[in-house]
């Protein structure tokens, strides 16, 4: 589309360059093209994203949606002036939720608010979003970039989005068949993911800490900033492979609230997930956070994923098969507990 007549000197004087938005869209297109799947019906640039629902073989298709942002992890990206992975986090926080009920993510839309639209920077952010969509099998069918002069500093931006998935109603994972003796399997996280960063920033004093960018031996030579910016792992394809061959009775995405808030969301009344803390492969970054901030262990498990990005609950008889499938999908999967009878929803001991 030719935008040569779409210029407004008055709007530009107020701080909004609409032509920058057009340039950003042009730069985005190569990234968006990577995400196209069988449901895509049109190109980016219209007023709405269209998607054809793949319902063949489904008796009662149900749409499942999830929305989230990246939060104050964005401050780390801004500090490092590295914006090509933060979009993965945005997609991950949404699709990892949608997959918890067994839904396959179909498409994604993003929203970027910025103080000043720098097309190359916006395209870099969207490039990360597109990578997250590729990893989850989602199509990036639209989005919005809004310039907010006077509300945000020129270098600031915020990023959010939402995912829509689909599942046959009879295959929704609703924990109704969970039973005593089922096994809790952990899927390792890639790091802090996208939760708890307000506490992380306070612990490391990120805005005023010159050591943040220096190689850290405890973190294998990576800097604290680099480690913190590691994108959230996307588990969609691994979980979909697992659902094909194993009777999965519950899935939890370990986000804000850690073990104490997220695992109970997949447990029915009268049952409890008994987690062996000694079995959890705690990543070095969490040890560093706890030691630097003098944070009690319970607060750590109640704030961070501690190295477990997702947990799945399967029958004990299928645990080995589940581990085999997840390992073949590239996951570091291992048993961390079992389901017992209790009025509590989770016990860590």
């Amino acid at each position: 589309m030719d935008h040569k007549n779409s210029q407004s000197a008055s709007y530009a004087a107020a701080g909004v360059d609409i032509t920058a938005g057009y340039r950003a869209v042009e730069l985005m297109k190569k990234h968006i093209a990577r995400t196209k799947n069988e449901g895509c019906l049109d190109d980016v640039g219209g007023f709405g994203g269209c998607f054809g629902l793949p319902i063949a073989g489904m008796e009662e298709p149900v749409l499942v949606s999830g929305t989230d942002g990246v939060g104050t992890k964005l401050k780390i990206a801004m500090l490092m002036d590295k914006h090509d992975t933060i979009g993965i986090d945005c997609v991950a926080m949404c699709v990892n939720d949608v997959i918890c009920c067994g839904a396959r993510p179909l498409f994604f839309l993003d929203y970027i608010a910025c103080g000043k639209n720098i097309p190359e920077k916006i395209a870099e952010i969207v490039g990360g979003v597109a990578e997250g969509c590729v990893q989850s099998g989602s199509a990036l069918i639209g989005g919005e970039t809004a310039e907010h002069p006077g509300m945000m500093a020129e270098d600031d931006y915020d990023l959010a989005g939402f995912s829509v998935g689909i599942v046959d109603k009879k295959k929704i994972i609703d924990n109704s068949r969970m039973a005593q003796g089922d096994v809790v399997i952990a899927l390792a996280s890639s790091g802090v993911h996208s939760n708890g960063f307000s506490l992380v920033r306070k612990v490391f004093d990120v805005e005023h800490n010159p050591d943040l960018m220096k190689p850290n031996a405890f973190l294998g030579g990576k800097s604290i900033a680099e480690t913190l910016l590691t994108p959230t792992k996307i588990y969609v394809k691994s979980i979909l492979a697992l659902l094909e061959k194993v009777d999965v009775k519950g899935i939890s995405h370990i986000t804000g609230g850690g073990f104490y808030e997220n695992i109970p969301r997949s447990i029915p009344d009268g049952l409890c997930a008994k987690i062996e803390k000694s079995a959890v492969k705690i990543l070095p970054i969490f040890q560093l956070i706890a030691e630097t901030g003098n944070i009690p262990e319970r607060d750590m498990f109640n704030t961070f994923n501690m190295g477990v990005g997702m947990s799945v609950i399967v029958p004990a008889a299928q645990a080995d098969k589940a581990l085999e499938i997840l390992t073949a999908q590239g996951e570091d999967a291992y048993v961390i507990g079992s389901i017992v009878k209790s009025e509590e929803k989770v016990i860590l001991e």
Side-chain angles (χ1 to χ4, degrees), residues 256-320:
F259 282 54
Y260 287 101
E261 293 295 327
N262 291 288
I263 293 179
R265 293 168 69 177
S266 66
I267 311 294
D269 292 341
L271 294 178
C272 168
K274 185 176 181 181
I275 306 297
E276 298 177 26
K277 283 190 291 189
S278 61
V280 177
K281 298 178 183 179
I282 299 175
L283 297 175
I285 186 61
F286 296 111
Q287 297 173 334
L288 190 60
I289 292 169
E291 292 171 7
T292 304
N294 193 27
I295 301 173
E297 183 182 67
R298 193 189 190 285
D299 286 358
M300 290 295 296
F301 275 93
N302 203 174
T303 306
F304 301 107
N305 68 62
M306 299 302 285
V308 179
M310 186 164 279
S311 66
V312 296
I313 298 170
V314 302
Q318 295 187 43
D320 287 342

Side-chain angles (χ1 to χ4, degrees), residues 336-347:
I336 57 170
S338 61
I339 300 299
V340 299
K341 288 187 177 180
S342 174
E343 292 306 311
E344 296 186 62
K345 288 295 185 72
V346 63
I347 299 172

Side-chain angles (χ1 to χ4, degrees), residues 18 100 114 204 213 239 268 279 325 332 345:
I18 57 175
C100 284
C114 58
F204 292 125
M213 303 291 191
I239 294 297
I325 292 170
D332 179 8
K345 288 295 185 72

Side-chain angles (χ1 to χ4, degrees), residues 2-25:
D2 186 359
H3 299 292
K4 65 181 180 181
N5 293 321
S6 299
Q7 299 180 21
S8 172
S10 298
Y11 209 3
V16 177
D17 182 357
I18 57 175
T19 61
Y22 301 141
R23 291 199 303 273
V25 170

Side-chain angles (χ1 to χ4, degrees), residues 320-331:
D320 287 342
K321 184 177 182 180
L323 291 172
E324 181 182 344
I325 292 170
L326 291 169
T327 300
Q329 289 294 316
E331 303 294 344

